[in-house]
Amino acid sequence: MKKTWGWVLLMGIALGMAGMAAEEPQPLEIGAAAPDFSLPGVDGKTYSLKDFADAKVLAVIFTCNHCPTAQAYEGRILQLVKDYSPKGVAFVAISPNDPLALRLDELGYTDLSDSFEEMKIRAKDHQFNLPYLYDGEKQEMSMKYGPVATPHAFVFDKERKLQYRGRIDNNENEAKATSFDLRNALEAVLAGAPVPIDTTRPFGCSVKWNDKRDSVKEFMEKLAREEVKIQPIDAKAIAELVKNPSENYRLINVWATWCGPCVAEFPQLVEINRMYRHRNVELITISADDPKDGEKVLSFLKKQQASNTNHHYSGTDKDALMDAVDTQWAGAIPHIILVKPGGGIIYRHTGEIDPLEVKRTIVEQIGRTYNK
């Protein structure tokens, strides 16, 4: 095709606009006025700047549920609120993340993603003592402030001019922190003095801007192409699986295609596997269908995109199956156990799972943060 100057110009404009769309917002400049906002909080209220008008200082902290760094700082943020609220500092936490721009493999250190409903759970479980607001749908407020990572703190004086932006302190491991930058900034602004270091670099998970949704789509398409297999297994081999000589936690689920609760919970098991499999966690499913129904079992697994380890019990003695999996198992399915490295069942459940309970059990074992 002949490329005219008009064509070249149009392509240049298109590429330029694409580049602008992908460009991430820049952090608010020191001295800039706090942009107003109107955002829902987990407490059912809607918040804007006027709700903090009486405060001498306003600290806006961009954070989220899923990020291991953000989780490492949760306790410190709550302590800052306790220490400085009586001195006239108002605090507000805001999640800037679009939950639809978050891949499952980014959830390996958490039991909760970044949806508004899951924010409510986190705030209740950890007894948040500050407003926790959601900006993941439109991200208009977050784009004006320009957080680059979670957590990222912004401190405004009485006139709501920015006096500090950056990290809370200099180490995710609280015991190793030596530079308490946010505390220093709050003390300075309360005293009407210049902040000694008004800009620091936050460290943590990148903000999940909505233009990252395409990467989530590509990730899910890649997962859908993974091979799904099934192998026959007898009771003796199952018992060896449960002994677990590996370094992984093994989530072992016994199910069948004719079992309604088994079928209903299976997508959640696939999701759990995709969240934690890059850490030391593996999902192993064992079908209790009749040994002759192998094709039926495999067809179901393929529809579920279950690319984890799958087995089909080759025997007909259900007592042998139950003894091999869990001697405390009464016999109903689905039945699931979590086995620690080296053996030993640390969680068991009969019946349809509560996915949050399973995720919470796993993440409390493998750890929520990577810097302890």
Side-chain angles (χ1 to χ4, degrees):
M1 182 173 107
K2 185 177 180 180
K3 297 178 176 59
T4 65
W5 280 111
W7 183 90
V8 173
L9 179 60
L10 287 172
M11 286 301 296
I13 292 172
L15 289 171
M17 291 178 66
M20 289 173 62
E23 185 178 347
E24 293 188 353
Q26 295 301 304
L28 199 65
E29 294 291 340
I30 298 297
D36 202 359
F37 53 87
S38 179
L39 293 175
V42 297
D43 57 1
K45 300 177 182 178
T46 298
Y47 288 85
S48 63
L49 277 181
K50 70 177 187 296
D51 294 297
F52 309 99
D54 295 336
K56 297 176 183 177
V57 179
L58 174 63
V60 177
I61 303 174
F62 291 89
T63 186
C64 68
N65 282 351
H66 89 276
C67 173
T69 307
Q71 291 183 73
Y73 276 100
E74 275 182 355
R76 273 169 276 184
I77 292 171
L78 302 186
Q79 188 61 49
L80 283 164
V81 177
K82 290 179 183 178
D83 293 345
Y84 285 95
S85 290
K87 298 180 181 182
V89 179
F91 290 83
V92 57
I94 298 171
S95 176
N97 287 347
D98 176 1
L100 299 179
L102 187 58
R103 299 193 316 267
L104 287 173
D105 63 342
E106 295 178 287
L107 300 177
Y109 291 83
T110 183
D111 51 336
L112 295 167
S113 187
D114 289 341
S115 72
F116 188 39
E117 292 305 312
E118 287 166 295
M119 287 171 58
K120 294 176 183 179
I121 296 171
R122 171 72 105 251
K124 181 180 179 181
D125 288 348
H126 292 259
Q127 299 181 337
F128 277 22
N129 55 4
L130 73 168
Y132 191 22
L133 315 185
Y134 177 63
D135 192 30
E137 184 174 347
K138 296 182 179 179
Q139 300 183 313
E140 291 175 353
M141 181 267 199
S142 298
M143 289 181 182
K144 293 175 183 177
Y145 282 70
V148 299
T150 51
H152 196 168
F154 294 73
V155 176
F156 298 89
D157 62 16
K158 180 63 177 176
E159 286 70 42
R160 297 301 178 257
K161 298 296 178 64
L162 184 64
Q163 302 300 315
Y164 172 80
R165 71 166 196 250
R167 65 194 184 189
I168 294 171
D169 59 42
N170 66 337
N171 203 301
E172 293 158 297
N173 186 327
E174 187 172 6
K176 296 179 180 179
T178 57
S179 181
F180 305 99
D181 306 280
L182 180 52
R183 282 184 177 271
N184 294 340
L186 294 174
E187 291 287 351
V189 178
L190 282 170
V195 177
I197 302 175
D198 61 17
T199 304
T200 58
R201 290 179 294 184
F203 179 82
C205 301
S206 63
V207 173
K208 308 309 175 193
W209 302 110
N210 56 26
D211 61 8
K212 295 180 180 178
R213 288 187 180 187
D214 286 344
S215 71
V216 175
K217 181 181 178 182
E218 292 170 4
F219 174 76
M220 296 304 292
E221 290 172 349
K222 180 180 178 181
L223 291 179
R225 293 193 295 269
E226 292 182 347
E227 185 179 9
V228 177
K229 299 184 294 185
I230 191 168
Q231 299 261 336
I233 192 169
D234 60 19
K236 182 178 179 181
I238 292 173
E240 291 300 314
L241 281 180
V242 177
K243 288 180 181 178
N244 192 12
S246 77
E247 296 181 355
N248 294 332
Y249 287 86
R250 284 181 171 170
L251 190 64
I252 302 175
N253 180 65
V254 183
W255 68 287
T257 57
W258 45 262
C259 163
C262 301
V263 171
E265 73 176 12
F266 212 95
Q268 294 291 340
L269 293 173
V270 172
E271 178 177 290
I272 288 169
N273 177 60
R274 289 170 171 178
M275 286 174 62
Y276 303 115
R277 68 181 188 175
H278 62 287
R279 302 189 66 190
N280 59 324
V281 178
E282 58 181 326
L283 171 66
I284 300 173
T285 72
I286 302 172
S287 168
D289 284 86
D290 191 292
K292 71 178 183 344
D293 290 333
E295 288 300 318
K296 180 181 179 181
V297 174
L298 181 58
S299 176
F300 174 84
L301 292 171
K302 286 182 176 179
K303 288 179 181 178
Q304 299 296 318
Q305 299 177 10
S307 58
N308 51 278
T309 300
N310 300 296
H311 292 292
H312 189 178
Y313 179 51
S314 59
T316 56
D317 185 344
K318 295 300 191 289
D319 279 332
L321 169 63
M322 289 183 278
D323 286 340
V325 173
D326 179 9
T327 57
Q328 294 187 33
W329 175 18
I333 59 171
H335 184 73
I336 195 166
I337 59 174
L338 181 64
V339 184
K340 64 183 179 181
I345 298 173
I346 54 178
Y347 172 83
R348 56 170 55 84
H349 180 80
T350 300
E352 191 169 342
I353 60 169
D354 175 350
L356 180 56
E357 180 182 77
V358 175
K359 293 173 186 177
R360 188 162 291 167
T361 301
I362 291 172
V363 81
E364 292 301 338
Q365 292 293 323
I366 63 178
R368 292 178 176 272
T369 64
Y370 52 82
N371 188 358
K372 297 182 179 181

